[in-house]
């Protein structure tokens, strides 16, 4: 029971009685008065403090200082907890990480304090703790699946993404869906090959004058310098840059008669290639057909004028139909496949130019073609000329 039932006079008299009995203890005096001995001790202490000027104020200040020191200590502790937590959470699921942080640090800071600072419920934490064995089992299963995924991914030379990895695993008898494969690949940083966006080299001209298709997908010729096909292809170099290659291919011998490389796709790229072909043929392309797609360069007035000057008859396939110029596109694909050899790009423009120059030279002079009886284009032309002369 509190001391409010005792009047101030009673308390004062009790203190006076204690002071007048120097040999007696708090307990013996309190027994005579019918009060608790600690209550009497408090009355005496309060009376002594009241007798000293400023003692009450000093005691109150000391209590406040003690409270503030405790508060500062608590704030410093909270800051230390949050500092550790910031490093601990980086890049992980926030709720799961907070629970795990409490589990890992409760011996040092206590569950109650950690849950309060991190905004968690203690009941939620204890539920999380109860499921730790199940989570550990799932983590082990994910690690085992990651090993299987890595094996499939490696066998595909790093090209397979989640859909193909899933199909491969299912084909091997593993019951797994693509969502889990996606999650595990993301968790273990297993990434499939993302093909770069195709560079569009054929941009039809809106005002192009119609030109007939004189080839009609017949990519053969009865003699050299009769029918040519050409195209533009990109050459990836450096850090996301491109060069562009324009070609002029003789359909009789499959010889690359003219070609041009530049860092742009202006009309002069294709006119330079056609002029180079004319130079290789002794300045004589008169009457030859040149077939291309409907790119703006080939449909331009400048290209039409160069063809007129050289006596070349223009031919173009249908808009948006790559098959109408398949011979030129096949040549470009072979060239890049055999020069890049699996690399995504050349280290620089000079390396690309030299690689193409070397390959084109070898292609024309000694690369054997099954369609030419395993002869090179130039050898095939020379032999056909010799046979024609002999006849």
């Amino acid at each position: 029971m509190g001391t409010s039932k005792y009047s101030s006079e009673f308390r004062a008299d009790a203190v006076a009685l204690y002071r007048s009995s120097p040999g007696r203890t708090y307990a013996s005096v309190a027994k005579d008065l019918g009060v608790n001995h600690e209550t009497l001790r408090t009355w005496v202490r309060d009376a002594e403090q009241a007798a000293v000027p400023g003692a009450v104020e000093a005691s109150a200040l000391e209590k406040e200082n003690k409270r503030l020191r405790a508060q500062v200590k608590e704030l410093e502790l909270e800051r230390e907890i949050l500092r550790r937590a910031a490093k601990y959470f980086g890049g992980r699921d926030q709720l799961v990480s907070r629970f795990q942080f409490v589990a890992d640090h409760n011996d040092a800071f206590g569950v109650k304090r950690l849950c309060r600072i991190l905004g968690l419920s203690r009941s939620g934490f204890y539920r999380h703790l109860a499921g730790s064995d199940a989570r550990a089992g799932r983590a082990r299963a994910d690690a085992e699946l990651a090993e299987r995924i890595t094996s499939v991914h490696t066998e595909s030379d790093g090209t397979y993404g989640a859909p193909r990895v899933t199909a491969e695993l299912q084909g091997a008898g593993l019951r797994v869906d693509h969502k889990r494969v996606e999650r595990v690949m993301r968790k273990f940083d297993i990434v499939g090959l993302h093909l770069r966006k195709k560079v569009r080299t054929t941009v039809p001209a809106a005002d192009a004058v119609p030109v007939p298709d004189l080839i009609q997908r017949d990519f053969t010729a009865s003699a050299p310098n009769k029918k040519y096909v050409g195209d533009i292809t990109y050459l990836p170099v450096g850090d996301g840059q491109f060069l562009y290659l324009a070609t002029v291919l003789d359909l009789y011998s499959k010889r690359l008669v003219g070609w041009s490389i530049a860092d742009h796709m202006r009309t002069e790229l294709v006119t330079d290639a056609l002029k180079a072909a004319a130079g290789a043929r002794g300045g004589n392309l008169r009457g030859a057909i040149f077939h291309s797609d409907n790119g703006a360069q080939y449909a331009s007035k400048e290209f039409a004028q160069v063809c007129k000057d050289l006596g070349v008859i223009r031919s173009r396939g249908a808009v948006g139909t790559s098959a109408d110029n398949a011979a030129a596109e096949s040549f470009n694909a072979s060239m890049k496949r055999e020069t890049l050899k699996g690399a995504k790009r050349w280290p620089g423009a000079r390396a690309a130019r030299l690689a193409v120059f070397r390959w084109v030279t070898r292609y024309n002079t000694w690369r054997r073609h099954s369609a030419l009886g395993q002869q090179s284009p130039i050898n095939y032309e020379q032999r056909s000329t010799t046979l024609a002369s002999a006849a």
Side-chain angles (χ1 to χ4, degrees), residues 283-331:
N284 181 24
L285 290 181
R286 198 158 300 277
I289 295 172
F290 178 81
H291 181 82
S292 69
D293 58 28
N294 284 270
Q297 301 85 351
Y298 295 113
S300 68
K301 293 179 181 179
E302 294 85 351
F303 185 74
Q305 185 61 50
V306 170
C307 287
K308 182 179 180 181
D309 294 343
L310 295 174
V312 171
I313 302 170
R314 290 184 294 155
S315 170
R316 293 205 299 264
V319 175
T321 305
S322 60
D324 285 353
N325 202 26
E329 296 201 7
S330 176
F331 171 86

Side-chain angles (χ1 to χ4, degrees), residues 225-229 248-250 257 281 285 288-291:
N225 203 22
K226 296 293 185 181
K227 293 164 65 176
Y228 293 93
V229 293
V248 179
L249 190 73
D250 191 308
V257 183
R281 292 304 190 191
L285 290 181
I289 295 172
F290 178 81
H291 181 82

Side-chain angles (χ1 to χ4, degrees), residues 205-281:
D207 59 348
V209 177
V211 170
D213 183 352
L214 303 177
I215 297 294
Q216 295 295 321
R217 302 188 185 181
D218 177 13
F219 301 114
T220 62
S222 59
N225 203 22
K226 296 293 185 181
K227 293 164 65 176
Y228 293 93
V229 293
D231 194 16
I232 299 174
T233 191
Y234 68 93
L235 307 174
V237 298
D239 187 14
Q241 304 302 312
F242 297 96
L243 292 178
Y244 300 92
L245 169 68
T247 56
V248 179
L249 190 73
D250 191 308
L251 288 178
Y252 174 75
S253 62
K254 310 302 184 279
R255 176 182 176 183
L256 186 66
V257 183
W259 54 287
S260 175
I261 294 179
D263 58 1
H264 61 80
M265 288 197 299
R266 295 190 293 272
T267 300
E268 63 190 83
L269 175 68
V270 296
T271 57
D272 285 350
L274 192 60
K275 290 175 182 178
R281 292 304 190 191

Side-chain angles (χ1 to χ4, degrees), residues 233 235 245 247-249 254-259 261 327-341 346 351-369 376-378:
T233 191
L235 307 174
L245 169 68
T247 56
V248 179
L249 190 73
K254 310 302 184 279
R255 176 182 176 183
L256 186 66
V257 183
W259 54 287
I261 294 179
E329 296 201 7
S330 176
F331 171 86
N332 291 336
S334 296
M335 182 275 297
K336 285 196 282 191
R337 181 176 62 251
E338 295 181 18
T339 52
L340 282 170
K341 296 181 179 178
W346 286 279
R353 290 176 183 272
L354 290 176
V356 172
F357 174 75
R358 180 175 184 272
W359 187 86
V360 166
T361 302
R362 291 163 63 88
Y363 168 89
N364 280 333
T365 57
W366 69 268
R367 185 180 185 272
R368 297 178 182 274
H369 288 255
S376 70
I378 289 181

Side-chain angles (χ1 to χ4, degrees), residues 137-151 153 161-162 165-166 169 174-192:
R138 288 194 295 271
R140 286 192 297 271
D142 282 352
E144 292 172 359
L145 178 59
E147 289 185 8
R148 298 284 298 273
I149 291 173
T150 299
S151 177
H153 188 254
V165 169
T166 303
L169 293 174
L174 189 65
R175 298 183 62 182
V176 63
D177 61 28
H178 74 279
K179 290 184 178 180
R180 186 182 176 203
V181 171
E182 286 178 354
R183 178 179 60 79
V184 173
M185 289 182 71
R186 186 167 54 249
K187 178 180 178 181
F188 289 86
D189 196 26
I190 305 171
V191 182

Side-chain angles (χ1 to χ4, degrees), residues 65-81 109 113 116-117:
N65 286 336
K66 184 177 180 180
R67 185 187 69 79
L68 291 174
R69 285 193 295 270
Q71 185 178 14
V72 168
K73 185 176 181 181
E74 182 66 20
L75 289 173
E76 290 177 345
L77 191 61
E78 289 185 8
R79 184 176 65 178
E80 174 62 18
I81 290 171
F109 302 109
R113 175 186 282 114
R116 174 178 58 80
I117 293 173

